[in-house]
């Protein structure tokens, strides 16, 4: 198993696998901790009891040593007796409530005695041998115990397996030498019951772990499905969205969580896409409509020239001039379309410089007087301030507003140009005394190809792109355009952009 195979799994399976691994980790850690605490809780009292036994044995040896110091030699006497076909020696140590057993090996220096005397000081040691010969059993047990490396200062003891003699025992060793006599005394405590408890505990832990794994697999799958339901909803919704149908949106259950915020962002993105697709479709439709008329005019005049065979110079000149005029109109239209087709204002190459507003507005005013002599151009107000702007683009926007006012105003009426500073905002206004704009048209006046009154546009001409370009230029300057208008009273359009 490796990360590559893990990454190839479905997200639902990965979540389930992570739950299972986490569960197993917690189970292993908690079970080891439980076993450790249980063993520690059981071994601590046993260690205390072993310490008490050791003190008791050492007191016994101290008494023997004290007695032997009063004489020249040590007399060891263990008077056995027979009980229930067992040889029972005297019991210098009681078994206590913990049911301890004692086995002692004596290597004596007394003449005419065996080199080694193994003594089972208690007869209660269980054995499978019948009838029990305590001396033989003790000798065999001592032979097994001597294979173990005991630390004489250890009171915790070591576990030794003596299956023929009652099972598993915890054992400590006490060594003493008195007048050449060497004593190896082993204190044994049967721990079969404790070990059975541990085995049962481990068995139960294993069973519960298996049950837990099965349970966690089931619940992990259920939980992962619940967790992934919003994601699957996003997938299903995204799969059903096409270029022909962008109306579907993701259902949002909780707007505050991560999936809710992701769904909200995707829905907003779909809103923008739908709007962009709608605008694109309308843009293509309107552009093709606008280009169809000049192309038809050019074709018509070209056919006239072809039919007349240059026989009529006046017709020829009129046709050529009309073709040139329509080509210029088409060029202007294409230029405007290309400007608007750049979409985001970040895609427009702008050259921002610091502009003296007074000089800038007066220059536009002078050009307007020369360009539009059919109307009275009036410089109403000019404040002195500075702008950080693209001079060419801003000039284009203001001239478009002036041209729009002239287009929808009667001849010899006034067109007012005003430039003022309010706080950190520059307000450049163009006001006319024209036909005005209705409240309904105000909301759409900056849309591409939109013209307020189709019947009057037959005479005023235009493509309906001028104000859309104005809006985009102002947006590029981090400003806005506002409209004040009354029908047959006039219109005031104001550009608001930050000053330096």
């Amino acid at each position: 198993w490796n990360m590559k195979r893990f990454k190839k799994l479905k997200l639902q399976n990965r979540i389930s696998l992570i739950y299972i691994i986490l569960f197993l980790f917690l189970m292993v850690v908690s079970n080891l901790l439980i076993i450790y605490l249980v063993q520690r809780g059981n071994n601590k009292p046993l260690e205390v009891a072993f310490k008490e036994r050791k003190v008791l044995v050492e007191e016994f040896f101290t008494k023997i040593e004290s007695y032997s110091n009063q004489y020249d030699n040590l007399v060891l006497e263990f008077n056995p007796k027979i009980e229930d076909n067992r040889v029972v020696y005297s019991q210098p140590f009681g078994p206590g409530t913990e049911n301890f057993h004692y086995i002692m090996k004596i290597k004596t220096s007394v003449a005419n005695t065996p080199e080694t005397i193994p003594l089972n000081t208690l007869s209660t040691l269980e054995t499978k041998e019948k009838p029990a010969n305590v001396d033989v059993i003790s000798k065999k047990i001592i032979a097994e115990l001597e294979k173990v490396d005991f630390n004489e200062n250890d009171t915790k003891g070591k576990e030794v397996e003596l299956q023929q003699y009652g099972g598993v025992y915890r054992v400590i060793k006490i060594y003493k030498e008195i007048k050449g006599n060497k004593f190896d005394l082993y204190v044994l405590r049967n721990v079969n019951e404790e070990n059975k408890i541990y085995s049962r505990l481990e068995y139960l832990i294993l069973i519960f772990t298996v049950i837990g794994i099965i349970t966690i697999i089931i619940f992990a799958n259920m939980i992962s499905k619940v967790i992934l339901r919003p994601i699957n909803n996003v997938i299903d919704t995204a799969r059903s969205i096409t270029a022909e149908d962008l109306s579907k949106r993701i259902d949002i259950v909780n707007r505050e969580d991560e999936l809710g915020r992701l769904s909200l962002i995707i829905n907003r993105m779909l809103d923008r896409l739908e709007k962009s697709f709608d605008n694109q479709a309308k843009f293509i439709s309107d552009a093709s409509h606008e280009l169809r008329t000049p192309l038809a005019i050019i074709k018509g005049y070209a056919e006239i020239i072809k039919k007349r065979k240059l026989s009529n110079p006046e017709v020829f000149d009129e046709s050529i001039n009309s073709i040139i005029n329509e080509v210029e109109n088409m060029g202007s239209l294409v230029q405007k379309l290309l400007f608007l087709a750049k979409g985001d204002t970040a895609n427009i190459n702008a050259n921002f410089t610091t502009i003296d507003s007074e000089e800038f507005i007066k220059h536009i005013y002078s050009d307007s007087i020369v360009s539009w002599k059919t109307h009275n151009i009036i410089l109403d107000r000019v404040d002195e301030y500075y702008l950080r702007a693209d001079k060419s683009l801003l000039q284009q926007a203001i001239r478009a507003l002036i041209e729009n006012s002239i287009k929808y105003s009667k001849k010899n009426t006034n067109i007012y140009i005003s430039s003022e500073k309010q706080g950190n905002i520059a307000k450049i206004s163009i006001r006319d005394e024209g036909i005005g704009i209705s409240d309904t048209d105000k909301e759409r006046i900056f849309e591409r190809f939109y013209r307020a009154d189709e019947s009057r546009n037959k005479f005023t001409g235009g493509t309906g792109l001028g104000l859309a370009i104005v809006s985009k230029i102002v947006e590029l300057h981090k400003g806005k355009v506002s409209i004040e208008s009354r029908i047959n009273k006039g219109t005031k359009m104001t550009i608001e952009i930050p000053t330096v």
Side-chain angles (χ1 to χ4, degrees):
W1 187 263
N2 52 41
M3 286 303 297
K4 287 184 178 179
R5 294 181 63 183
F6 177 77
K7 290 178 180 179
K8 288 181 180 179
L9 292 175
K10 291 183 178 180
L11 183 57
Q12 180 178 335
N13 294 334
R14 274 186 276 170
I15 294 174
S16 299
L17 184 60
I18 290 171
Y19 272 115
I20 293 169
I21 293 173
L22 181 62
F23 171 78
L24 286 175
F25 174 77
L26 293 176
M27 284 293 291
V28 170
V29 172
S30 60
N31 292 340
L32 290 175
L33 183 62
I34 290 171
I35 292 173
Y36 168 77
L37 292 175
V38 171
Q39 288 181 338
R40 180 181 175 85
N42 184 67
N43 292 338
K44 194 66 179 178
L46 189 58
E47 184 180 351
V48 172
F50 268 122
K51 286 182 180 179
E52 294 173 353
R53 295 295 102 184
K54 187 173 182 180
V55 171
L56 182 64
V57 170
E58 287 176 348
E59 287 177 354
F60 169 74
F61 282 128
T62 300
K63 290 179 182 179
I64 293 177
E65 188 174 19
S66 176
Y67 178 80
S68 66
N69 288 334
Q70 299 177 23
Y71 302 95
D72 294 333
N73 59 359
L74 175 61
V75 178
L76 297 175
E77 183 178 0
F78 294 89
N79 297 317
K81 58 182 179 178
I82 306 298
E83 289 182 359
D84 299 327
N85 295 324
R86 293 189 178 192
V87 180
V88 182
Y89 291 91
S90 59
Q91 300 180 8
F93 322 110
T97 57
E98 295 83 3
N99 195 23
F100 283 103
H101 305 281
Y102 305 83
I103 296 178
M104 184 164 59
K105 172 184 173 182
I106 305 172
K107 189 174 181 180
T108 180
S109 60
V110 180
N112 300 322
T113 59
E115 182 180 358
T116 300
I117 305 173
L119 298 174
N120 182 359
T121 59
L122 290 179
S123 62
T124 57
L125 188 66
E126 296 179 359
T127 176
K128 296 180 181 180
E129 298 182 10
K130 301 293 183 178
N133 186 323
V134 178
D135 288 337
V136 174
I137 294 173
S138 298
K139 190 172 183 179
K140 290 181 178 180
I141 292 175
I142 287 174
E144 292 293 327
L145 295 176
E146 285 182 333
K147 297 176 183 178
V148 182
D149 184 19
F150 287 100
N151 182 354
E152 294 179 8
N153 295 320
D154 181 25
T155 56
K156 293 181 180 180
K158 290 188 176 182
E159 285 194 2
V160 181
E161 188 173 350
L162 304 171
Q163 290 297 341
Q164 294 296 320
Y165 313 105
V168 180
Y169 290 82
R170 187 174 291 275
V171 185
I172 64 169
K173 178 182 178 181
I174 304 171
Y175 172 79
K176 188 72 175 179
E177 183 176 353
I178 303 174
K179 291 189 177 296
N181 299 288
K182 299 177 180 179
F183 298 86
D184 288 335
L185 191 144
Y186 298 93
V187 183
L188 299 87
R189 166 69 159 75
N190 191 303
V191 291
N192 282 333
E193 292 302 320
E194 288 85 347
N195 287 346
K196 286 180 181 178
I197 292 174
Y198 298 147
S199 297
R200 289 171 186 164
L201 181 61
E202 292 172 357
Y203 180 71
L204 288 173
I205 287 173
L206 179 61
I207 291 176
F208 284 121
T209 301
V210 172
I211 295 173
I213 290 174
I214 295 172
T215 305
I216 201 68
I217 289 174
I218 296 171
F219 278 95
N221 283 324
M222 294 173 60
I223 293 171
S224 60
K225 285 180 180 179
V226 173
I227 292 174
L228 295 176
R229 189 174 297 156
I231 297 178
N232 290 327
N233 184 24
V234 172
I235 293 171
D236 294 338
T237 304
R239 188 182 289 118
S240 64
I241 293 172
T242 62
E244 290 75 25
D245 184 11
L246 289 168
S247 61
K248 293 187 178 179
R249 297 295 181 267
I250 300 167
D251 295 331
I252 301 174
V253 179
N254 184 0
R255 290 175 174 265
E256 301 302 323
D257 64 12
E258 290 78 2
L259 290 175
R261 294 201 297 271
L262 174 62
S263 300
L264 186 61
I265 290 171
I266 293 175
N267 283 344
R268 288 174 179 172
M269 180 187 68
L270 290 173
D271 289 339
R272 293 194 297 272
L273 284 174
E274 185 177 18
K275 184 177 180 181
S276 297
F277 270 75
D278 290 342
N279 288 340
Q280 182 184 24
K282 186 177 184 300
F283 183 80
I284 293 171
S285 175
D286 291 342
S288 61
H289 174 75
E290 294 295 330
L291 290 172
R292 189 181 298 117
T293 300
L295 286 173
I297 294 172
I298 291 172
K299 181 182 178 183
Y301 280 109
E303 289 175 348
I304 290 173
I305 293 172
K306 183 178 179 181
K307 289 179 181 179
R308 300 293 176 91
K309 303 291 184 180
L310 306 181
S311 60
N312 190 335
E314 293 181 2
V315 174
F316 176 78
D317 290 340
E318 181 184 352
S319 299
I320 291 297
N321 290 334
S322 297
I323 290 173
I324 292 171
N325 184 53
E326 290 304 323
V327 169
E328 289 176 351
N329 289 338
M330 286 183 63
S332 175
L333 175 62
V334 170
Q335 186 177 5
K336 291 176 180 179
L337 290 174
L338 289 174
F339 182 86
L340 293 172
K342 291 181 179 179
D344 192 352
T345 54
N347 297 325
I348 301 173
N349 295 324
N351 181 24
F352 283 86
T353 58
T354 301
I355 300 172
D356 183 336
S357 65
E358 185 177 11
E359 179 183 342
F360 176 67
I361 295 298
K362 286 182 178 179
H363 177 73
I364 293 176
Y365 167 70
S366 300
D367 289 345
S368 300
I369 292 176
V370 175
S371 301
W372 294 293
K373 295 181 179 181
T374 56
H375 291 69
N376 303 318
I377 309 298
I378 300 173
L379 188 58
D380 189 28
R381 175 175 176 175
V382 182
D383 288 353
E384 186 177 355
Y385 55 87
Y386 290 90
L387 295 171
R388 186 73 179 168
D390 185 304
K391 187 174 182 179
S392 177
L393 290 177
L394 187 58
Q395 184 174 265
Q396 180 183 348
I398 296 171
R399 284 177 174 172
L401 293 181
I402 295 172
E403 183 179 356
N404 199 69
S405 291
I406 289 173
K407 189 180 298 182
Y408 295 101
S409 300
K410 293 180 179 180
K411 291 182 180 181
N412 299 318
T413 57
N414 299 325
I415 304 296
Y416 299 91
I417 301 174
S418 174
S419 172
E420 60 180 304
K421 180 182 179 184
Q422 293 184 1
N424 294 325
I425 300 297
K427 292 188 175 183
I428 302 172
S429 302
I430 307 299
R431 180 169 62 87
D432 61 53
E433 298 171 347
I435 61 177
I437 304 171
S438 68
D439 292 338
T440 303
D441 291 328
K442 284 180 186 178
E443 298 176 359
R444 301 187 58 192
I445 199 69
F446 292 104
E447 293 181 11
R448 300 170 184 177
F449 297 109
Y450 182 79
R451 283 175 283 186
D453 191 332
E454 293 294 336
S455 62
R456 282 177 286 188
N457 284 324
K458 292 178 183 179
F459 304 101
T460 59
T463 61
L465 294 174
L467 292 181
I469 291 176
V470 170
S471 177
K472 185 168 287 293
I473 291 173
V474 174
E475 181 185 349
L476 180 66
H477 288 78
K478 303 188 185 317
K480 65 178 182 178
V481 185
S482 59
I483 302 175
E484 299 175 27
S485 184
R486 294 172 61 190
I487 298 296
N488 297 322
K489 295 294 183 180
T491 300
K492 179 181 179 181
M493 291 193 177
T494 304
I495 295 175
E496 298 182 18
I497 55 176
T499 61
V500 177

